[in-house]
Amino acid sequence: GDPSYFPKEKVRQTGQIVRCICFLNHPIPNCGDLESVQIIIPGPQVNRKNDIFVCSIASSHAVSARGVYVAIVSTKMEGEDADKEVVPGLALLGHIMQRFTMVATTYEPMSDGNSDKCYISSSFDASSHFEADVDDLLSLYKRVTGKDLDMNINADSVEADY
């Protein structure tokens, strides 16, 4: 389960992330008017240790009304000012109609869960591509079942399921 559901003696704090959800009335500038964009700003490029992640989605993804774009800017907190942490990402967005900023504490399990059968995932990180989150999910699956998840699915064998 998500670490926020468990008592503090079962999880440890790993840091904080800041996420800004922004509503735009235009695609992200200089990205070819695309409705779906993912940008990773390398931390060292903007004098940070951690990368800044920017993604944008729109009505073609059934997440907003036509003409409204949803952009998310996120990174791991390195200081105390959440707004300052995401400035380089926000600067790419152009005019922002509305913005919501939140800071979340991240956690990881203190054990693998085998002794008490309490299987805990790590918190979602700041990335917008979910690579670490997928790795964590696969690890959780193995801890619960004792085996790797078989991702080799023959498309011909599942056609009847649709």
Side-chain angles (χ1 to χ4, degrees):
D2 183 280
S4 64
Y5 296 130
F6 292 90
K8 299 297 179 208
E9 60 269 8
K10 292 198 173 288
V11 296
R12 71 177 138 258
Q13 185 174 333
T14 58
Q16 291 185 307
I17 58 167
V18 56
R19 278 194 188 87
C20 289
I21 299 173
C22 304
F23 294 123
L24 314 175
N25 59 2
H26 57 84
I28 294 178
N30 304 312
C31 292
D33 290 333
L34 298 172
E35 289 201 340
S36 177
V37 174
Q38 182 163 237
I39 301 167
I40 301 173
I41 303 170
Q45 185 175 314
V46 289
N47 299 316
R48 294 177 47 82
K49 293 177 189 170
N50 296 285
D51 297 342
I52 299 173
F53 300 91
V54 180
C55 71
S56 176
I57 49 181
S59 62
S60 63
H61 302 94
V63 297
S64 65
R66 184 174 301 278
V68 176
Y69 297 78
V70 179
I72 303 169
V73 180
S74 57
T75 190
K76 187 170 183 175
M77 292 284 294
E78 295 178 8
E80 299 297 320
D81 185 350
D83 291 324
K84 184 178 177 185
E85 304 276 345
V86 291
V87 165
L90 294 173
L92 299 176
L93 301 183
H95 173 72
I96 299 170
M97 296 189 319
Q98 191 162 12
R99 179 176 116 192
F100 304 91
T101 301
M102 63 212 77
V103 175
T105 301
T106 56
Y107 299 94
E108 67 182 6
M110 293 185 67
S111 72
D112 64 9
N114 289 324
S115 63
D116 61 0
K117 304 300 182 215
C118 190
Y119 300 102
I120 305 171
S121 66
S122 294
S123 300
F124 284 118
D125 64 14
S127 70
S128 54
H129 51 70
F130 304 110
E131 182 179 359
D133 302 316
V134 170
D135 290 343
D136 185 47
L137 179 65
L138 292 172
S139 168
L140 186 63
Y141 181 89
K142 186 172 186 171
R143 286 184 278 141
V144 171
T145 66
K147 56 186 175 185
D148 290 325
L149 178 62
D150 181 4
M151 298 292 284
N152 297 311
I153 298 171
N154 180 345
D156 293 334
S157 68
V158 296
E159 188 173 304
D161 293 342
Y162 299 101

